[in-house]
């Protein structure tokens, strides 16, 4: 099992910030060099006779476009571990797509992402599939979640990103269905993968590995350690957001808002009945009338847990 500490997380945040600064410096140097190359190309084009100048201009434009795409893809690969010129070419459309998603409700998001997953290719399709998982869980779309998991299990991705996603979707499904045995099995079979993510990955991979280990510890009844890591994760949410553009304020607020339910479960398992009852009362105030299927399901799961433990939360 890999060791997660506050010191390692602090170091990872600082390394991520330093990496971002280096990336910016590289990008500035590239822009300067690209501008110098453009100036040389213009001098060359003006020196050519008009008959050949037009064809040369087309060749230069094509060459510069390919060069620009490849260099940006290379810089992106250094930062994310994903090399995809196609993703660079579609970056504007992807940005607009992401902006549109943020304006939609969960049902509309699912419809749009499902269409994207059908029509897109490569990394764009993979990203759409990855985005569907938390939405299926939140909307309690059991059949869709099952079908997506079965599809991913039938694939044999070549890229590290694809392999990580395949494993993560399997774990998401087993956690969603409370299939403790298979969650533990898949996590342990891929422990080296998660250890590598924690030890060598970017901050988003570290956070993902940490999250999966927390769930594993809960499923193996190691509640004290799971609770420690859970609190550490909550403590670092704001710091993660400073170096992870994909993490927005809505995600952070949602995580903290659900904390009362998680605490009720932890305190119950740790034998602190009064704290469990107090946390669950807060959860009831917040979520008893919720229309979010996942929250309804989770609320009832924790309620049963407290009832079985004989904890009075009224």
């Amino acid at each position: 099992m890999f060791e997660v500490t506050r010191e390692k997380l602090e170091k990872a945040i600082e390394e991520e910030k330093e990496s971002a600064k280096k990336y910016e410096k590289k990008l500035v140097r590239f822009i300067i060099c690209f501008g110098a190359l453009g100036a040389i190309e213009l001098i060359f084009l003006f020196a050519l006779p008009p008959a050949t100048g037009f064809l040369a201009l087309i060749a230069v434009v094509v060459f510069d476009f390919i060069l620009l795409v490849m260099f940006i893809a290379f810089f992106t690969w250094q930062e994310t571990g994903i090399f995809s010129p196609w993703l660079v070419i579609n970056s504007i459309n992807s940005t607009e797509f992401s902006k549109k998603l943020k304006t939609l409700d969960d049902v509309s998001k699912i419809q749009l992402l499902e269409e994207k997953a059908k029509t897109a290719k490569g990394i764009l399709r993979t990203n759409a599939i990855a985005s569907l998982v938390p939405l299926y869980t939140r909307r309690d779309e059991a059949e869709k979640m099952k079908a997506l998991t079965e599809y991913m299990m039938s694939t044999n991705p070549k890229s590290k990103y694809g392999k990580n996603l395949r494993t993560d979707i399997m774990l998401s499904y087993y956690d969603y269905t409370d299939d403790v045995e298979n969650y533990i099995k898949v996590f342990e079979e891929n422990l080296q993968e998660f250890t590598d993510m924690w030890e060598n990955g970017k901050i988003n991979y570290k956070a993902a590995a940490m999250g999966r280990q927390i769930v594993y510890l809960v499923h193996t009844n190691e509640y004290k350690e799971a609770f420690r890591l859970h609190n550490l994760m909550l403590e670092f949410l704001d710091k993660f957001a400073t170096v992870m553009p994909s993490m927005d304020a809505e995600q952070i607020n949602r995580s903290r808002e659900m904390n009362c339910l998680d605490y009720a479960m932890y305190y119950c398992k740790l034998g602190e009945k009064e704290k469990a009852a107090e946390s669950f009362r807060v959860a009831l105030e917040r979520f008893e009338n919720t229309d979010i299927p996942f929250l309804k399901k989770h609320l009832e799961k924790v309620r049963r847990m407290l009832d079985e433990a004989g904890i009075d939360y009224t």
Side-chain angles (χ1 to χ4, degrees), residues 34-306:
F34 194 75
L37 174 64
I40 294 171
E41 289 171 341
L42 281 175
I43 294 171
F44 170 74
L45 288 171
F46 280 125
L48 291 175
T52 57
F54 180 71
L55 292 176
L57 175 63
I58 293 175
V60 166
V61 170
V62 172
F63 170 78
D64 284 352
F65 176 75
I66 294 173
L67 183 66
L68 182 63
V69 168
M70 295 305 291
F71 266 95
I72 294 176
F74 175 73
F75 288 146
T76 303
W77 168 73
Q78 288 188 316
E79 291 301 302
T80 65
I82 301 172
F83 182 78
S84 176
W86 182 245
L87 190 60
V88 175
I89 294 171
N90 284 273
S91 59
I92 296 177
N93 288 336
S94 296
T95 301
E96 292 301 317
F97 183 80
S98 297
K99 288 180 180 178
K100 183 177 180 180
L101 271 181
K102 290 181 179 180
T103 65
L104 303 175
D105 58 31
D106 286 349
V107 174
S108 299
K109 285 179 181 177
I110 287 174
Q111 292 174 345
L112 193 61
L113 285 165
E114 285 178 337
E115 186 61 31
K116 185 83 169 179
K118 291 177 182 177
T119 58
K121 296 180 180 179
I123 189 68
L124 298 176
R125 182 171 187 273
T126 304
N127 286 342
I129 289 174
S131 299
L132 279 168
V133 175
L135 288 169
Y136 282 162
T137 301
R138 186 170 165 80
R139 295 300 307 171
D140 197 21
E141 297 277 5
E143 290 304 315
K144 289 185 176 182
M145 188 67 179
K146 180 181 179 181
L148 182 59
T149 304
E150 289 176 346
Y151 165 73
M152 290 302 295
M153 289 173 68
S154 70
T155 64
N156 185 27
K158 304 298 181 184
S159 69
K160 183 178 179 180
Y161 176 67
K163 291 177 181 178
N164 288 341
L165 177 61
R166 180 180 183 273
T167 301
D168 194 62
I169 287 178
M170 291 169 64
L171 290 176
S172 295
Y173 179 68
Y174 293 138
D175 185 37
Y176 166 69
T177 57
D178 292 321
D179 189 339
V180 174
E181 182 179 349
N182 273 316
Y183 188 99
I184 292 173
K185 178 183 177 183
V186 172
F187 182 87
E188 291 179 347
E189 286 176 348
N190 294 276
L191 179 57
Q192 186 55 51
E193 175 185 315
F194 287 110
T195 301
D196 183 60
M197 287 167 63
W198 170 252
E199 296 293 344
N200 307 309
K202 304 290 288 183
I203 196 67
N204 56 321
Y205 286 110
K206 290 181 187 293
M210 184 178 176
R212 286 306 173 198
Q213 180 155 289
I214 290 171
V215 178
Y216 172 79
L217 291 169
V218 169
H219 287 326
T220 53
N221 302 321
E222 298 173 70
Y223 298 109
K224 187 175 181 180
E225 178 64 5
F227 192 35
R228 181 185 75 84
L229 295 187
H230 179 92
N231 285 326
L232 199 56
M233 177 76 85
L234 287 173
E235 178 186 333
F236 273 80
L237 282 177
D238 289 322
K239 293 181 180 181
F240 286 156
T242 63
V243 291
M244 290 172 60
S246 60
M247 181 176 284
D248 56 28
E250 182 183 353
Q251 288 176 297
I252 294 174
N253 291 336
R254 188 179 294 169
S255 296
R256 290 196 169 126
E257 189 179 43
M258 283 188 59
N259 199 40
C260 51
L261 264 177
D262 295 323
Y263 272 22
M265 181 272 292
Y266 281 120
Y267 286 136
C268 176
K269 293 298 185 180
L270 291 170
E272 299 190 42
K273 294 187 176 183
E274 290 185 8
K275 289 184 178 180
E278 181 182 350
S279 295
F280 192 66
R281 282 193 289 270
V282 174
L284 286 173
E285 289 177 8
R286 290 181 184 176
F287 306 129
E288 193 163 31
N289 296 316
T290 183
D291 60 350
I292 300 173
F294 168 75
L295 283 175
K296 287 182 180 179
K297 181 179 178 180
H298 196 30
L299 188 72
E300 291 310 309
K301 178 181 176 180
V302 177
R303 189 198 300 272
R304 288 195 302 272
M305 186 183 297
L306 268 61

